[in-house]
Amino acid sequence: MHEWALAEAVVVTAIKTAKEHSFREVTDIEIQLGQLQQIDKDVFAFAVEKALKSQRLLFKETKVHFHDEEAVFQCRNCGREWTFEDNKKKLSTTESEAIHFVPEVAHAYMGCPDCQSTDFEILKGRGVSVSSITGERDD
Amino acid sequence: MDPRVNIIDKRLEKVKKVVAVSGGKGGIGKSTFAAILALTLSKRGHNVGLLDLDFWGPSAHVILGAEKVLPEEKEGIIPPDIHNLKFMTIMYYTADKALTIRKAAFENAVLELLSVVQWGALDYLIMDMPPGIGDPTLDVIRLMKKVRFCVIAAQSQVVMETVIKTLNTLIELKISITGVVQNMKMNERSVREQIERLHVPFLGEIEFDAGLEEAMGNPDDLLQTGFAKAIDRSIAGKLENF
């Protein structure tokens, strides 16, 4: 599952942030899960927990919070906004899976519901991002 | 915060050399050179990966005949083995559809691939770049610290105009250039002097090879072409020594 690779990226980011801010311990990690990437939340959460164990002291009491973010698109051609729910049902399993791996390939399989243009912007809900990492310092 | 940026160095930590095959113009043989260079280095005993970053016009899969393979998903994405190359392309996910993406989406897609593809230990990662020195080149420079550029040129004023600008930009950005290859050589005229005037290594020349098209899609046949022999004879060795 490539969720493991993304989970590792989150934990490496937390370690880097902790170093930059001289955190003795990371207390909270807030993760946004953009709907377009269709991450398997259970697998991802398990992978994050596993990866946190690589630094037991730094992540001793770390709480990881996951937040689902709806995917919203805007057509650059006609300006129409729409959500992933509007497109999702029309995608085949193979197409959905391709978007799961590289969300940008949505441009190959989805279009504006009004003018069908594939020239659209992903306004939000693309994929995995970290919204905050909180920790405690010694001082 | 984008977590992907922070994992790229780790994904490439066992990759010894990263070579971006670039050039100012489309149609001067970047993809063919990148694919056959990768095959040649592999034949010379190296572990080689090939990454097609030309998302707007991927073609390395056609050159290699790798149209019916898919990567494996295992704690990331494992590129399939094509004739002893670890080969990655966006085409695995777009199939026969065109990808109409703008520069911000390009950057996101590159970031995604660089952060989830598990290359493992490689002597070379060869990258086929889109034409020009716009966002894709700048993204690669920003995200891949080890990258060095190999620029494809041809004896044409139109091509050289852009090749010189590309080289000057790379020099200004202090990016390592392995050298320039003159492709599709049809007469005695060489671009060597123009290149060496910029203090950039001239790696060699490849004659125009009329038989190349017939070999497309078959790596064994590609390695028998004059194109491949020129790479093996005068270019691959220089790349091994940089």
PDB file of all heavy atoms in Angstrom, chain A residues 59-84:
ATOM      1  N   PHE A  59       8.098  10.723  20.147  1.00  0.00           N
ATOM      2  CA  PHE A  59       6.668  10.515  19.873  1.00  0.00           C
ATOM      3  C   PHE A  59       5.972   9.688  20.978  1.00  0.00           C
ATOM      4  O   PHE A  59       4.966   9.033  20.730  1.00  0.00           O
ATOM      5  CB  PHE A  59       6.495   9.810  18.517  1.00  0.00           C
ATOM      6  CG  PHE A  59       7.043  10.592  17.357  1.00  0.00           C
ATOM      7  CD1 PHE A  59       8.042  10.069  16.550  1.00  0.00           C
ATOM      8  CD2 PHE A  59       6.558  11.856  17.054  1.00  0.00           C
ATOM      9  CE1 PHE A  59       8.551  10.776  15.475  1.00  0.00           C
ATOM     10  CE2 PHE A  59       7.053  12.584  15.977  1.00  0.00           C
ATOM     11  CZ  PHE A  59       8.059  12.039  15.184  1.00  0.00           C
ATOM     12  N   LYS A  60       6.512   9.759  22.191  1.00  0.00           N
ATOM     13  CA  LYS A  60       6.018   8.924  23.292  1.00  0.00           C
ATOM     14  C   LYS A  60       4.504   9.058  23.502  1.00  0.00           C
ATOM     15  O   LYS A  60       3.781   8.071  23.610  1.00  0.00           O
ATOM     16  CB  LYS A  60       6.763   9.325  24.574  1.00  0.00           C
ATOM     17  CG  LYS A  60       6.886   8.240  25.597  1.00  0.00           C
ATOM     18  CD  LYS A  60       7.909   8.669  26.631  1.00  0.00           C
ATOM     19  CE  LYS A  60       7.327   8.532  28.025  1.00  0.00           C
ATOM     20  NZ  LYS A  60       8.121   9.298  28.986  1.00  0.00           N
ATOM     21  N   GLU A  61       4.022  10.294  23.561  1.00  0.00           N
ATOM     22  CA  GLU A  61       2.601  10.519  23.865  1.00  0.00           C
ATOM     23  C   GLU A  61       1.890  11.229  22.708  1.00  0.00           C
ATOM     24  O   GLU A  61       0.889  11.899  22.917  1.00  0.00           O
ATOM     25  CB  GLU A  61       2.472  11.413  25.106  1.00  0.00           C
ATOM     26  CG  GLU A  61       3.211  10.943  26.337  1.00  0.00           C
ATOM     27  CD  GLU A  61       2.420   9.921  27.138  1.00  0.00           C
ATOM     28  OE1 GLU A  61       1.197   9.816  26.939  1.00  0.00           O
ATOM     29  OE2 GLU A  61       3.044   9.204  27.947  1.00  0.00           O
ATOM     30  N   THR A  62       2.431  11.114  21.516  1.00  0.00           N
ATOM     31  CA  THR A  62       1.891  11.909  20.393  1.00  0.00           C
ATOM     32  C   THR A  62       0.474  11.473  20.016  1.00  0.00           C
ATOM     33  O   THR A  62       0.199  10.275  19.848  1.00  0.00           O
ATOM     34  CB  THR A  62       2.810  11.762  19.156  1.00  0.00           C
ATOM     35  OG1 THR A  62       4.135  12.077  19.539  1.00  0.00           O
ATOM     36  CG2 THR A  62       2.357  12.677  18.033  1.00  0.00           C
ATOM     37  N   LYS A  63      -0.393  12.470  19.900  1.00  0.00           N
ATOM     38  CA  LYS A  63      -1.749  12.179  19.410  1.00  0.00           C
ATOM     39  C   LYS A  63      -1.820  12.610  17.950  1.00  0.00           C
ATOM     40  O   LYS A  63      -1.432  13.731  17.603  1.00  0.00           O
ATOM     41  CB  LYS A  63      -2.780  12.962  20.228  1.00  0.00           C
ATOM     42  CG  LYS A  63      -2.908  12.453  21.649  1.00  0.00           C
ATOM     43  CD  LYS A  63      -4.117  13.110  22.322  1.00  0.00           C
ATOM     44  CE  LYS A  63      -4.276  12.634  23.745  1.00  0.00           C
ATOM     45  NZ  LYS A  63      -3.199  13.132  24.639  1.00  0.00           N
ATOM     46  N   VAL A  64      -2.309  11.701  17.108  1.00  0.00           N
ATOM     47  CA  VAL A  64      -2.425  12.024  15.680  1.00  0.00           C
ATOM     48  C   VAL A  64      -3.902  12.238  15.360  1.00  0.00           C
ATOM     49  O   VAL A  64      -4.748  11.405  15.697  1.00  0.00           O
ATOM     50  CB  VAL A  64      -1.847  10.882  14.809  1.00  0.00           C
ATOM     51  CG1 VAL A  64      -1.862  11.288  13.339  1.00  0.00           C
ATOM     52  CG2 VAL A  64      -0.423  10.548  15.243  1.00  0.00           C
ATOM     53  N   HIS A  65      -4.191  13.377  14.767  1.00  0.00           N
ATOM     54  CA  HIS A  65      -5.592  13.720  14.454  1.00  0.00           C
ATOM     55  C   HIS A  65      -5.761  13.756  12.939  1.00  0.00           C
ATOM     56  O   HIS A  65      -4.986  14.415  12.243  1.00  0.00           O
ATOM     57  CB  HIS A  65      -5.946  15.089  15.031  1.00  0.00           C
ATOM     58  CG  HIS A  65      -5.528  15.244  16.468  1.00  0.00           C
ATOM     59  ND1 HIS A  65      -6.326  14.861  17.516  1.00  0.00           N
ATOM     60  CD2 HIS A  65      -4.363  15.709  17.011  1.00  0.00           C
ATOM     61  CE1 HIS A  65      -5.693  15.105  18.658  1.00  0.00           C
ATOM     62  NE2 HIS A  65      -4.502  15.618  18.373  1.00  0.00           N
ATOM     63  N   PHE A  66      -6.763  13.064  12.453  1.00  0.00           N
ATOM     64  CA  PHE A  66      -7.030  13.040  11.008  1.00  0.00           C
ATOM     65  C   PHE A  66      -8.282  13.852  10.701  1.00  0.00           C
ATOM     66  O   PHE A  66      -9.295  13.732  11.409  1.00  0.00           O
ATOM     67  CB  PHE A  66      -7.223  11.602  10.526  1.00  0.00           C
ATOM     68  CG  PHE A  66      -6.000  10.754  10.722  1.00  0.00           C
ATOM     69  CD1 PHE A  66      -5.860   9.963  11.866  1.00  0.00           C
ATOM     70  CD2 PHE A  66      -4.976  10.757   9.789  1.00  0.00           C
ATOM     71  CE1 PHE A  66      -4.724   9.197  12.056  1.00  0.00           C
ATOM     72  CE2 PHE A  66      -3.842   9.990   9.974  1.00  0.00           C
ATOM     73  CZ  PHE A  66      -3.709   9.204  11.113  1.00  0.00           C
ATOM     74  N   HIS A  67      -8.208  14.669   9.668  1.00  0.00           N
ATOM     75  CA  HIS A  67      -9.359  15.480   9.277  1.00  0.00           C
ATOM     76  C   HIS A  67      -9.656  15.256   7.800  1.00  0.00           C
ATOM     77  O   HIS A  67      -8.772  15.447   6.958  1.00  0.00           O
ATOM     78  CB  HIS A  67      -9.071  16.973   9.510  1.00  0.00           C
ATOM     79  CG  HIS A  67      -8.610  17.255  10.908  1.00  0.00           C
ATOM     80  ND1 HIS A  67      -9.484  17.365  11.963  1.00  0.00           N
ATOM     81  CD2 HIS A  67      -7.353  17.421  11.417  1.00  0.00           C
ATOM     82  CE1 HIS A  67      -8.779  17.604  13.073  1.00  0.00           C
ATOM     83  NE2 HIS A  67      -7.493  17.635  12.764  1.00  0.00           N
ATOM     84  N   ASP A  68     -10.864  14.834   7.516  1.00  0.00           N
ATOM     85  CA  ASP A  68     -11.245  14.653   6.103  1.00  0.00           C
ATOM     86  C   ASP A  68     -11.524  16.018   5.477  1.00  0.00           C
ATOM     87  O   ASP A  68     -12.147  16.877   6.101  1.00  0.00           O
ATOM     88  CB  ASP A  68     -12.508  13.786   6.002  1.00  0.00           C
ATOM     89  CG  ASP A  68     -12.231  12.379   6.504  1.00  0.00           C
ATOM     90  OD1 ASP A  68     -11.120  11.883   6.249  1.00  0.00           O
ATOM     91  OD2 ASP A  68     -13.118  11.794   7.160  1.00  0.00           O
ATOM     92  N   GLU A  69     -11.050  16.183   4.249  1.00  0.00           N
ATOM     93  CA  GLU A  69     -11.266  17.451   3.554  1.00  0.00           C
ATOM     94  C   GLU A  69     -11.961  17.160   2.219  1.00  0.00           C
ATOM     95  O   GLU A  69     -11.432  16.399   1.384  1.00  0.00           O
ATOM     96  CB  GLU A  69      -9.910  18.128   3.314  1.00  0.00           C
ATOM     97  CG  GLU A  69     -10.021  19.519   2.768  1.00  0.00           C
ATOM     98  CD  GLU A  69      -8.635  20.140   2.527  1.00  0.00           C
ATOM     99  OE1 GLU A  69      -7.707  19.410   2.137  1.00  0.00           O
ATOM    100  OE2 GLU A  69      -8.503  21.349   2.721  1.00  0.00           O
ATOM    101  N   GLU A  70     -13.096  17.736   2.028  1.00  0.00           N
ATOM    102  CA  GLU A  70     -13.854  17.518   0.791  1.00  0.00           C
ATOM    103  C   GLU A  70     -13.067  18.067  -0.411  1.00  0.00           C
ATOM    104  O   GLU A  70     -12.439  19.121  -0.315  1.00  0.00           O
ATOM    105  CB  GLU A  70     -15.193  18.265   0.898  1.00  0.00           C
ATOM    106  CG  GLU A  70     -16.108  18.035  -0.278  1.00  0.00           C
ATOM    107  CD  GLU A  70     -17.361  18.906  -0.216  1.00  0.00           C
ATOM    108  OE1 GLU A  70     -17.256  20.093   0.161  1.00  0.00           O
ATOM    109  OE2 GLU A  70     -18.432  18.382  -0.552  1.00  0.00           O
ATOM    110  N   ALA A  71     -13.100  17.346  -1.522  1.00  0.00           N
ATOM    111  CA  ALA A  71     -12.403  17.835  -2.726  1.00  0.00           C
ATOM    112  C   ALA A  71     -13.339  18.742  -3.524  1.00  0.00           C
ATOM    113  O   ALA A  71     -14.478  18.366  -3.828  1.00  0.00           O
ATOM    114  CB  ALA A  71     -11.946  16.664  -3.583  1.00  0.00           C
ATOM    115  N   VAL A  72     -12.847  19.942  -3.825  1.00  0.00           N
ATOM    116  CA  VAL A  72     -13.632  20.906  -4.601  1.00  0.00           C
ATOM    117  C   VAL A  72     -12.806  21.380  -5.787  1.00  0.00           C
ATOM    118  O   VAL A  72     -11.608  21.654  -5.648  1.00  0.00           O
ATOM    119  CB  VAL A  72     -14.048  22.124  -3.719  1.00  0.00           C
ATOM    120  CG1 VAL A  72     -14.858  23.125  -4.529  1.00  0.00           C
ATOM    121  CG2 VAL A  72     -14.831  21.661  -2.499  1.00  0.00           C
ATOM    122  N   PHE A  73     -13.448  21.461  -6.934  1.00  0.00           N
ATOM    123  CA  PHE A  73     -12.764  21.851  -8.169  1.00  0.00           C
ATOM    124  C   PHE A  73     -13.411  23.103  -8.757  1.00  0.00           C
ATOM    125  O   PHE A  73     -14.599  23.366  -8.531  1.00  0.00           O
ATOM    126  CB  PHE A  73     -12.858  20.721  -9.211  1.00  0.00           C
ATOM    127  CG  PHE A  73     -12.553  19.379  -8.652  1.00  0.00           C
ATOM    128  CD1 PHE A  73     -13.578  18.504  -8.264  1.00  0.00           C
ATOM    129  CD2 PHE A  73     -11.236  18.974  -8.481  1.00  0.00           C
ATOM    130  CE1 PHE A  73     -13.288  17.265  -7.728  1.00  0.00           C
ATOM    131  CE2 PHE A  73     -10.945  17.737  -7.947  1.00  0.00           C
ATOM    132  CZ  PHE A  73     -11.965  16.876  -7.568  1.00  0.00           C
ATOM    133  N   GLN A  74     -12.626  23.839  -9.534  1.00  0.00           N
ATOM    134  CA  GLN A  74     -13.212  24.967 -10.266  1.00  0.00           C
ATOM    135  C   GLN A  74     -12.727  24.927 -11.710  1.00  0.00           C
ATOM    136  O   GLN A  74     -11.518  24.813 -11.971  1.00  0.00           O
ATOM    137  CB  GLN A  74     -12.827  26.305  -9.630  1.00  0.00           C
ATOM    138  CG  GLN A  74     -13.506  27.467 -10.356  1.00  0.00           C
ATOM    139  CD  GLN A  74     -13.341  28.790  -9.639  1.00  0.00           C
ATOM    140  OE1 GLN A  74     -12.307  29.051  -9.030  1.00  0.00           O
ATOM    141  NE2 GLN A  74     -14.357  29.630  -9.723  1.00  0.00           N
ATOM    142  N   CYS A  75     -13.677  25.041 -12.615  1.00  0.00           N
ATOM    143  CA  CYS A  75     -13.366  25.016 -14.044  1.00  0.00           C
ATOM    144  C   CYS A  75     -12.698  26.344 -14.433  1.00  0.00           C
ATOM    145  O   CYS A  75     -13.198  27.412 -14.097  1.00  0.00           O
ATOM    146  CB  CYS A  75     -14.649  24.818 -14.849  1.00  0.00           C
ATOM    147  SG  CYS A  75     -14.355  24.800 -16.625  1.00  0.00           S
ATOM    148  N   ARG A  76     -11.550  26.250 -15.130  1.00  0.00           N
ATOM    149  CA  ARG A  76     -10.869  27.471 -15.577  1.00  0.00           C
ATOM    150  C   ARG A  76     -11.529  28.031 -16.833  1.00  0.00           C
ATOM    151  O   ARG A  76     -11.294  29.157 -17.218  1.00  0.00           O
ATOM    152  CB  ARG A  76      -9.401  27.170 -15.887  1.00  0.00           C
ATOM    153  CG  ARG A  76      -8.557  26.928 -14.672  1.00  0.00           C
ATOM    154  CD  ARG A  76      -7.135  26.650 -15.131  1.00  0.00           C
ATOM    155  NE  ARG A  76      -6.283  26.299 -14.010  1.00  0.00           N
ATOM    156  CZ  ARG A  76      -5.625  27.183 -13.277  1.00  0.00           C
ATOM    157  NH1 ARG A  76      -5.741  28.474 -13.536  1.00  0.00           N
ATOM    158  NH2 ARG A  76      -4.859  26.787 -12.290  1.00  0.00           N
ATOM    159  N   ASN A  77     -12.323  27.205 -17.463  1.00  0.00           N
ATOM    160  CA  ASN A  77     -12.958  27.624 -18.707  1.00  0.00           C
ATOM    161  C   ASN A  77     -14.255  28.407 -18.446  1.00  0.00           C
ATOM    162  O   ASN A  77     -14.435  29.507 -18.951  1.00  0.00           O
ATOM    163  CB  ASN A  77     -13.235  26.376 -19.548  1.00  0.00           C
ATOM    164  CG  ASN A  77     -13.761  26.706 -20.926  1.00  0.00           C
ATOM    165  OD1 ASN A  77     -13.260  27.628 -21.571  1.00  0.00           O
ATOM    166  ND2 ASN A  77     -14.767  25.982 -21.368  1.00  0.00           N
ATOM    167  N   CYS A  78     -15.140  27.846 -17.576  1.00  0.00           N
ATOM    168  CA  CYS A  78     -16.442  28.514 -17.374  1.00  0.00           C
ATOM    169  C   CYS A  78     -16.658  28.976 -15.928  1.00  0.00           C
ATOM    170  O   CYS A  78     -17.651  29.628 -15.638  1.00  0.00           O
ATOM    171  CB  CYS A  78     -17.580  27.598 -17.829  1.00  0.00           C
ATOM    172  SG  CYS A  78     -17.863  26.191 -16.745  1.00  0.00           S
ATOM    173  N   GLY A  79     -15.746  28.604 -15.032  1.00  0.00           N
ATOM    174  CA  GLY A  79     -15.844  29.097 -13.654  1.00  0.00           C
ATOM    175  C   GLY A  79     -16.694  28.242 -12.723  1.00  0.00           C
ATOM    176  O   GLY A  79     -16.734  28.487 -11.518  1.00  0.00           O
ATOM    177  N   ARG A  80     -17.339  27.204 -13.222  1.00  0.00           N
ATOM    178  CA  ARG A  80     -18.207  26.346 -12.400  1.00  0.00           C
ATOM    179  C   ARG A  80     -17.397  25.636 -11.298  1.00  0.00           C
ATOM    180  O   ARG A  80     -16.298  25.149 -11.546  1.00  0.00           O
ATOM    181  CB  ARG A  80     -18.872  25.306 -13.328  1.00  0.00           C
ATOM    182  CG  ARG A  80     -19.420  24.064 -12.653  1.00  0.00           C
ATOM    183  CD  ARG A  80     -20.855  24.221 -12.189  1.00  0.00           C
ATOM    184  NE  ARG A  80     -21.252  23.100 -11.350  1.00  0.00           N
ATOM    185  CZ  ARG A  80     -22.025  22.087 -11.747  1.00  0.00           C
ATOM    186  NH1 ARG A  80     -22.488  22.059 -12.976  1.00  0.00           N
ATOM    187  NH2 ARG A  80     -22.355  21.123 -10.909  1.00  0.00           N
ATOM    188  N   GLU A  81     -17.969  25.594 -10.107  1.00  0.00           N
ATOM    189  CA  GLU A  81     -17.353  24.838  -9.015  1.00  0.00           C
ATOM    190  C   GLU A  81     -18.121  23.548  -8.816  1.00  0.00           C
ATOM    191  O   GLU A  81     -19.346  23.535  -8.955  1.00  0.00           O
ATOM    192  CB  GLU A  81     -17.393  25.650  -7.712  1.00  0.00           C
ATOM    193  CG  GLU A  81     -16.231  26.593  -7.576  1.00  0.00           C
ATOM    194  CD  GLU A  81     -16.125  27.227  -6.188  1.00  0.00           C
ATOM    195  OE1 GLU A  81     -16.555  26.599  -5.200  1.00  0.00           O
ATOM    196  OE2 GLU A  81     -15.601  28.348  -6.117  1.00  0.00           O
ATOM    197  N   TRP A  82     -17.438  22.486  -8.480  1.00  0.00           N
ATOM    198  CA  TRP A  82     -18.117  21.223  -8.185  1.00  0.00           C
ATOM    199  C   TRP A  82     -17.288  20.388  -7.226  1.00  0.00           C
ATOM    200  O   TRP A  82     -16.144  20.745  -6.943  1.00  0.00           O
ATOM    201  CB  TRP A  82     -18.442  20.458  -9.472  1.00  0.00           C
ATOM    202  CG  TRP A  82     -17.293  19.749 -10.138  1.00  0.00           C
ATOM    203  CD1 TRP A  82     -16.962  18.440 -10.023  1.00  0.00           C
ATOM    204  CD2 TRP A  82     -16.341  20.319 -11.046  1.00  0.00           C
ATOM    205  NE1 TRP A  82     -15.857  18.160 -10.788  1.00  0.00           N
ATOM    206  CE2 TRP A  82     -15.455  19.283 -11.436  1.00  0.00           C
ATOM    207  CE3 TRP A  82     -16.130  21.594 -11.570  1.00  0.00           C
ATOM    208  CZ2 TRP A  82     -14.406  19.493 -12.312  1.00  0.00           C
ATOM    209  CZ3 TRP A  82     -15.074  21.803 -12.446  1.00  0.00           C
ATOM    210  CH2 TRP A  82     -14.228  20.759 -12.806  1.00  0.00           C
ATOM    211  N   THR A  83     -17.883  19.330  -6.724  1.00  0.00           N
ATOM    212  CA  THR A  83     -17.178  18.493  -5.744  1.00  0.00           C
ATOM    213  C   THR A  83     -16.857  17.129  -6.349  1.00  0.00           C
ATOM    214  O   THR A  83     -17.407  16.755  -7.401  1.00  0.00           O
ATOM    215  CB  THR A  83     -18.026  18.270  -4.479  1.00  0.00           C
ATOM    216  OG1 THR A  83     -19.148  17.453  -4.849  1.00  0.00           O
ATOM    217  CG2 THR A  83     -18.498  19.577  -3.883  1.00  0.00           C
ATOM    218  N   PHE A  84     -16.001  16.391  -5.660  1.00  0.00           N
ATOM    219  CA  PHE A  84     -15.612  15.065  -6.147  1.00  0.00           C
ATOM    220  C   PHE A  84     -16.817  14.126  -6.202  1.00  0.00           C
ATOM    221  O   PHE A  84     -16.878  13.239  -7.055  1.00  0.00           O
ATOM    222  CB  PHE A  84     -14.511  14.497  -5.237  1.00  0.00           C
ATOM    223  CG  PHE A  84     -13.891  13.233  -5.747  1.00  0.00           C
ATOM    224  CD1 PHE A  84     -13.492  13.110  -7.068  1.00  0.00           C
ATOM    225  CD2 PHE A  84     -13.680  12.161  -4.891  1.00  0.00           C
ATOM    226  CE1 PHE A  84     -12.901  11.939  -7.542  1.00  0.00           C
ATOM    227  CE2 PHE A  84     -13.091  10.982  -5.350  1.00  0.00           C
ATOM    228  CZ  PHE A  84     -12.704  10.875  -6.673  1.00  0.00           C
TER     229      PHE A  84
END
